[in-house]
C-alpha cells in the first residue's frame, strides 16, 4: 500500500489542521490539490515561488471546474471495465 502525504493548513484565524493529500490535478496550466480531513474536503491551488511550494485558496469557479473534470474522469474509469481495479 502506498504511503499517504499529509499537509498542515492554517486558516485565517491561525488554527492549524492536518489534511491528507488525496489527489493532485493540473488544469489550464495551474496545479491543484484535493485534501481531506475526516468529513472535510477542500481543493487548494498549488503555487510555486522561488522553488518553494505553498497552498492558497482556489476560487469557487476553479473548484467547480476541477470537480466537474474529476467526476467525468471517475465516470469514464468506471465505464471502462478494463480500467477498473477493484
Amino acid at each position: 500500500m502506498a504511503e499517504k502525504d499529509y499537509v498542515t493548513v492554517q486558516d485565517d484565524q491561525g488554527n492549524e489542521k492536518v489534511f491528507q493529500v488525496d489527489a493532485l490535478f493540473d488544469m489550464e496550466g495551474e496545479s491543484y490539490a484535493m485534501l481531506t480531513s475526516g468529513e472535510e474536503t477542500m481543493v487548494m491551488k498549488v503555487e510555486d515561488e522561488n522553488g518553494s511550494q505553498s497552498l492558497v485558496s482556489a476560487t469557487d469557479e476553479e473548484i467547480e471546474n476541477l470537480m466537474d473534470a474529476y467526476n467525468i474522469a471517475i465516470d469514464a474509469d468506471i465505464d471502462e471495465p478494463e480500467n477498473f481495479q477493484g
Side-chain angles (χ1 to χ4, degrees), residues 17-81:
K17 189 169 189 177
V18 176
F19 286 84
Q20 178 178 307
V21 179
D22 284 335
L24 296 171
F25 303 93
D26 288 322
M27 180 178 264
E28 297 180 1
E30 300 288 347
S31 296
Y32 300 89
M34 180 183 288
L35 311 173
T36 58
S37 180
E39 296 286 321
E40 185 177 0
T41 299
M42 59 195 295
V43 175
M44 299 193 77
K45 184 186 283 189
V46 180
E47 289 192 345
D48 190 2
E49 188 172 312
N50 299 325
S52 179
Q53 291 184 329
S54 61
L55 297 171
V56 297
S57 297
T59 67
D60 289 341
E61 182 179 349
E62 288 171 321
I63 293 169
E64 185 177 328
N65 290 339
L66 282 166
M67 295 310 297
D68 288 344
Y70 179 77
N71 288 326
I72 289 169
I74 293 297
D75 289 344
D77 196 44
I78 290 172
D79 290 342
E80 299 292 330

